[in-house]
Amino acid sequence: MRDLIIRQKELVENPTPRVPICLVLDASGSMTGLPIAELNDGIHQFFNAVKNDETARYAADIAMVTFGGVVKHLLDFSDIERQQVPLIEAEGGTPMGEAVTLALDLLEQRKQEFSDAGVDYYQPWMVLMTDGHPTDDIAVASARSSDMVERRKLTVFPIAIGDAASMQALEQFSPKREPLRLKGLAFEEFFEWLSMSVSRASQSTPGDDVPLDTGGIKGWASL
Amino acid sequence: MGIIIGPATPGWQMAGAQVRGVGNLRRSRPGQDRIFCLRSGKVFIITLADGAGSCRRSGYGAEIATRTVAWFVARWFDKIYAADNGEVPRMVLMPVIRALGKAIQQGESLRDYSSTLLLAAVKGEEFIVGHLGDGVVGCLDDHGCFVMSFPDNVEFCNVTYFTTHDTAFNHLRVIRGELKGRKGFVLMSDGAAESLYERSGQRLAPAVARMFNWFQYHSPRKIGCAVEDNLRDVLRHKTQDDCSLVLMRLLEGQSKEFLGD
C-alpha cells in the first residue's frame, strides 16, 4: 500500500555530527628545513585523506594554530571542501602555552556555534606537535587542558618531533594519554592514522568505546 | 528485527518495530534496540530501549528493561501516578536494575546490560511518560505532533545516560498528567530520530503525523509491518545506528474501516 511508504520529503535532514579538531603545530625556528617541509606535506596528506573518506569528510571540522615566534590562527573551522591548506613557515621561539590557550578558546567557540545551530558534535580533539621546549609559561594552559581531559571534555594527542622535543612539557597537557615520539619525520603516516581515527570516532554511538588503532600507531611512533 | 502488535480494537492501539542498524550489520553484531507494547487491565503502555554501543549484552539488557518496566508500570500505575516527584525515578528504575542484576552471568557486569529507557503509559484519562538518555518522546494532540521529551546527550552526541549509571535516578525524566486532548504518543531511538526529529528546530518530521494517521485506516498488525519496512528501507540508510519506533494512538469511537489487513 503506497500510503504506508514514508517519502524522503516527510523526513528531516539533520547536519552530520562533527568532530572539532584543532591542530596546534610548532612552527618555531628549529623546525626550519626538512621538518617544516615534511609537516606541510603531512598536513596536505591529512586533508586529502579526510576528503577521500566518505564518513570523515562530513564529520571532520578542522582548525589550525601555529606557534613560531608568534601564535597564528592559520586556519579557521569550516567544511573541509571549502578550506585551503595554508603553508606553515618556521621562525622564532616556541610559545606553546599561548597557542594551546588559543586552541582551547577556538574549540569552545566552535562548540557554542554548533549548539546554537543545533549541530551535534563529538568530544573535541587537540593535536599538539612540537620539536622543542616551550618558551612561554604553560602552567595555565596545561592546567586548563588537563582539567578538560579529566572531565572528558577534550581528547589530546601530544606528539613529539625529534629527540629534542620536551616530553615533560607535552605530558602536562595530557594527563591520560602519554606523548608519543614521531618516528623520524613520519608526518604522513601520522596524519593518515589521524584521518582514520576521525572516521572511527565519527561512527561511534552512545556507549561505544572508541579504541585507537594501536597497531597503526606503530607505523609512525617510536614506541 | 521484530514487530509488536497491539489490540485491534477502538481505544488505544499500539504498533512499532525495530531494525538492526548499518553499523551492526557491517560488524555482524546483533541489534541493540528493543520495543515492547503491553495492555494489562486498563493500562496501555509502550516502551523502548537502545542498548549501549560496545556493551556486549546491551541488546538483552534493552529487552529486559522494556519488558520489566512495562509490567511494573502496568501493575503500579496508580501508585506511580500519585507518588512524589522525587520518588518516581527510583520507583520506576529499581525493578529494571534488579532484573538486570539477576541476568548477570559469570564474567559479566551490570554495565554490560546498559540501555536507555523510554516509556509512555495511559490509564483512563491519565498518562505517565518516562525518558532516560537519548531518543525522543513525541505526542499528538488536536494541534498536531510535538516533542514531549528531548534527547539527553549530556554534551557529546555519542554520550548519554543509561539504566546502569550511578546517576540514572537523577536523569530519568518523568511527566505525568491528564490526557486533556492528547491522543497519541511515540517513542523513537536516536537512530530513528536522525530522520524524524529536527535538532535545530526541535520539532518532529511530518512523517510522524502521518504514521499516527495510519491508525485510522489500518490495523496495528499492518502498521507494525509498515513501520518495520520504513525503518529498514528508508530511515536506516541515514544513520549507522539501529532504528526503532513505537506508537500508541487513541481512536475515539469506531475507527474508519480498515483497508485490508
Side-chain angles (χ1 to χ4, degrees):
Chain A
M1 302 278 296
R2 291 175 68 184
D3 73 312
L4 291 173
I5 297 170
I6 293 172
R7 296 167 191 86
Q8 288 292 339
K9 67 178 182 182
E10 295 174 293
L11 303 175
V12 296
E13 283 291 338
N14 283 306
T16 305
R18 306 296 166 86
V19 185
I21 304 160
C22 193
L23 305 177
V24 189
L25 306 171
D26 190 339
S28 61
S30 57
M31 289 284 288
T32 304
L34 195 56
I36 204 74
E38 293 288 334
L39 176 61
N40 277 309
D41 283 350
I43 288 166
H44 273 280
Q45 168 73 19
F46 177 52
F47 275 76
N48 286 334
V50 170
K51 281 181 192 173
N52 289 330
D53 185 303
E54 276 304 308
T55 306
R57 70 191 295 183
Y58 300 111
D61 190 57
I62 306 164
M64 202 185 295
V65 168
T66 57
F67 49 105
V70 293
V71 171
K72 292 179 186 167
H73 180 189
L74 220 53
L75 183 69
D76 204 1
F77 292 109
S78 182
D79 291 342
I80 197 161
E81 297 291 349
R82 294 185 194 167
Q83 288 179 312
Q84 293 287 330
V85 182
L87 184 70
I88 304 171
E89 293 175 356
E91 59 180 339
T94 313
M96 192 188 297
E98 188 186 338
V100 168
T101 297
L102 176 60
L104 297 178
D105 288 345
L106 293 172
L107 287 168
E108 286 300 316
Q109 286 168 21
R110 191 57 170 167
K111 287 196 299 181
Q112 189 59 53
E113 287 169 12
F114 285 148
S115 295
D116 293 345
V119 177
D120 276 1
Y121 54 90
Y122 294 88
Q123 191 183 66
W125 292 7
M126 181 174 74
V127 179
L128 177 58
M129 303 185 86
T130 184
D131 75 336
H133 290 253
T135 53
D136 66 347
D137 187 357
I138 63 167
V140 174
S142 62
R144 184 176 164 196
S145 166
S146 296
D147 176 59
M148 290 176 73
V149 171
E150 294 287 4
R151 290 188 296 117
R152 298 181 172 209
K153 300 288 184 189
L154 178 72
T155 294
V156 178
F157 294 94
I159 309 295
I161 306 165
D163 294 337
S166 171
M167 300 296 266
Q168 198 182 6
L170 286 171
E171 267 170 19
Q172 291 182 55
F173 293 96
S174 179
K176 288 191 175 169
R177 196 185 304 280
E178 281 184 23
L180 291 172
R181 198 180 298 279
L182 207 61
K183 194 187 283 181
L185 294 174
F187 288 102
E188 278 199 19
E189 290 81 354
F190 166 71
F191 280 113
E192 192 178 334
W193 174 87
L194 191 66
S195 77
M196 282 167 52
S197 301
V198 176
S199 185
R200 277 185 177 212
S202 62
Q203 292 178 63
S204 63
T205 57
D208 264 342
D209 296 326
V210 190
L212 292 177
D213 172 15
T214 46
I217 290 174
K218 290 175 192 159
W220 56 265
S222 302
L223 299 173
Chain B
M1 224 179 268
I3 305 165
I4 304 292
I5 299 155
T9 55
W12 285 96
Q13 302 202 6
M14 304 175 278
Q18 69 229 354
V19 298
R20 196 150 53 126
V22 173
N24 280 333
L25 279 172
R26 197 175 49 236
R27 293 173 217 150
S28 299
R29 294 197 317 200
Q32 293 156 309
D33 280 13
R34 294 291 187 278
I35 62 160
F36 188 62
C37 303
L38 176 69
R39 180 187 180 175
S40 177
K42 294 178 182 173
V43 179
F44 295 83
I45 180 163
I46 52 176
T47 59
L48 182 150
D50 178 353
S54 299
C55 298
R56 53 187 171 160
R57 299 278 280 163
S58 66
Y60 186 41
E63 189 163 326
I64 293 170
T66 50
R67 287 167 185 267
T68 304
V69 81
W71 283 106
F72 182 82
V73 172
R75 182 170 181 193
W76 301 105
F77 186 99
D78 294 336
K79 200 169 178 182
I80 296 167
Y81 191 83
D84 289 340
N85 286 338
E87 289 176 37
V88 177
R90 193 169 290 273
M91 283 174 76
V92 170
L93 278 179
M94 273 315 292
V96 173
I97 293 165
R98 274 193 221 106
L100 295 176
K102 285 181 188 167
I104 295 173
Q105 296 183 10
Q106 200 168 13
E108 295 177 348
S109 71
L110 191 63
R111 187 180 172 274
D112 292 328
Y113 291 78
S114 301
S115 74
T116 64
L117 185 60
L118 299 83
L119 69 99
V122 172
K123 182 180 181 186
E125 284 300 308
E126 295 166 343
F127 74 91
I128 299 171
V129 162
H131 186 186
L132 174 72
D134 59 13
V136 172
V137 181
C139 187
L140 172 73
D141 67 10
D142 291 334
H143 304 290
C145 293
F146 60 95
V147 177
M148 203 166 196
S149 182
F150 297 92
D152 192 353
N153 279 108
V154 192
E155 180 180 4
F156 307 123
C157 60
N158 59 346
V159 181
T160 192
Y161 295 108
F162 295 121
T163 47
T164 55
H165 278 181
D166 296 340
T167 60
F169 298 128
N170 301 331
H171 298 285
L172 177 75
R173 295 182 198 136
V174 178
I175 306 164
R176 295 168 293 176
E178 294 178 9
L179 286 171
K180 291 182 179 170
R182 294 180 183 91
K183 52 193 177 188
F185 295 93
V186 58
L187 315 177
M188 61 185 85
S189 65
D190 59 343
E194 187 63 30
S195 299
L196 296 173
Y197 166 67
E198 186 190 67
R199 289 193 287 268
S200 58
Q202 297 193 314
R203 60 188 166 217
L204 298 172
V208 177
R210 204 150 78 78
M211 285 190 274
F212 274 126
N213 206 34
W214 289 346
F215 284 91
Q216 299 198 49
Y217 302 98
H218 299 287
S219 68
R221 175 187 295 274
K222 193 156 197 167
I223 294 166
C225 292
V227 171
E228 181 175 352
D229 289 346
N230 283 290
L231 292 179
R232 186 188 59 237
D233 300 337
V234 186
L235 276 69
R236 178 162 71 180
H237 301 290
K238 297 179 76 174
T239 176
Q240 294 288 316
D241 216 345
D242 296 338
C243 294
S244 57
L245 178 135
V246 57
L247 309 109
M248 61 192 296
R249 168 79 204 259
L250 176 65
L251 288 183
E252 288 153 314
Q254 184 59 53
S255 61
K256 292 174 189 172
E257 199 165 326
F258 288 152
L259 300 174
D261 195 1

